Amino acid sequence: MKVPSKDQSLRNLQIGGELYGKVKVPGDKSISHRALLFGAIAKGKTIIEGLLPAEDPLSTAECLRSMGVTISPIKKGGIVEVNGVGLNGLKEPQDILNCGNSGTTMRLIMGLLAGQEGRNFILTGDKSLRNRPMKRVGQPLKIMGAKVSGRCGGDFAPLSVTGNKLRGAVIGTPVASAQIKSAILLASLNAEGSTTVIEPARSRDHSERMLKAFGANLEVGGEMGRHITVSPGNDLKGQSIIVPGDISSAAFWLVAGSIIPGSELIIENVGLNPTRTGILDVLEEMEANIKLINKRDVAGEPVGDIEVSYQNQLKPFNLDGDIIPRLVDEIPILSVAACFCRGISKIKGANELRVKETDRLAVMARQLKRMGAKVDEHQDGLTIYGGNDLKGCELDSEDDHRVAMSLAIASIMANSNSTLRRSEAAAISYPDFWSDLNRLQQKN
Ligand code: S3P
């Protein structure tokens, strides 16, 4: 991973200036990881278009390469070719697998490796990832016969996975997490007998959609599609995949366009999978000016363009329950939006934010309070009192990409300029964020 210079890292953030124009957000991070991972264990060639060329998917690609998967360099348009090695064909790597900052890489790869019989793998990551809980994946995999261990009783990386014979199982997950679900589904492809995952609430379903497209025998059932069953036996076959733009990256522009006076934006090619569109429901509740246009289906995922313009009377919102997994990565930018609503917004049931790249409830509360926002932090959420002026100050992303981009939007609305430490974190999911922001601020 590149080490940014101090100058790159400390960024000056200027106040004011409406955002205007068109922006095409980069490829969906979740779909990019899955396209690489499923392509790697398919038979034959997978061609991916629009892969997100950011640090997290690159961590997945590097791990797969060191297990014998040929993956071309990313060409213009995010085009990548993956030559799959089949369900059980991953090689024992010569070194530790480095998952960088990426929880999706580590957790999905744990599932992928659990059934690679007789081969040994060690997984690690950066300081943040080494402190994120992994037992939530290791434990269900062990029910299937996996051999997984790690620091602190298997909860933290470095982790060791020794591929083993797996058996199908019925597994209820304690939290609605697509990473846990996907790890189990990946392991189930190499198990004896079928496996059913039951989630407490439905999490993003990109794995289900894409595994079906690759030819897996997978069924979604139960109330709200919370029961997913895989019956092994089918090989995966290489596919052509088109990755839509990431709604989690679009979220920064959706909120910026809504709160910055005079803004008018069109965000093109955004993935609109219903398991991801909680942010659109909240913006509707806020009575933001949002319009979906050009709705279409691209390679099994709904996609559209979104128009957004400034609204000076945004209503506050309440978040809790099943909507949380549908907008889990958008809570940092929604907490910025709440500062500009007329009234009190409440976020509850969001404990999962404490175990993301940072403790996002604590970090957002800390950074927004520096700006003078009135925020109460609770164990499972935040209460944000809208309508208080924000002031410019020294901000810090605390090494979290979504925090970096959320604070950048907040700072535009402050009454004096700010600085942002560790701004380079944005490259984890949105490498061109700073240049896109700069361009949208130059009204022509
Ligand atoms: C992801 C699932 C979510 C999300 C993460 C990406 C995925 O995490 O926060 O950014 O690609 O499966 P959880 O599965 O932990 O909810």
Side-chain angles (χ1 to χ4, degrees), residues 4 7 70 73 85 96 106 116 123 184 227 287 342 344 401 420 439:
D7 288 341
T70 310
V85 295
I96 292 173
M106 183 169 280
Q116 304 286 313
L123 295 154
I184 299 168
H227 298 204
E287 296 181 3
R342 300 193 164 217
I344 302 170
H401 54 129
L420 177 63
R439 182 175 56 78

Side-chain angles (χ1 to χ4, degrees), residues 32 35-37 39-40 45-54 57-58 61 64-65 69-83 239-243:
S32 294
L36 291 165
L37 290 163
K45 204 177 273 181
T46 288
I47 312 273
I48 310 170
E49 194 183 317
L51 187 96
L52 169 67
L58 294 181
L64 292 169
R65 284 190 182 116
V69 181
T70 310
I71 302 177
S72 71
I74 308 181
K75 299 187 197 111
K76 200 166 177 268
I79 295 178
V80 176
E81 203 174 292
V82 182
N83 280 300
Q239 298 294 313
S240 281
I241 294 169
I242 302 172
V243 182

Side-chain angles (χ1 to χ4, degrees), residues 29-30 34 104 176-179 204 328-329 356:
K29 184 157 80 71
S30 294
R34 285 158 176 81
T104 311
S177 157
Q179 295 179 351
R204 62 191 68 189
V328 64
D329 292 336
K356 294 292 176 191

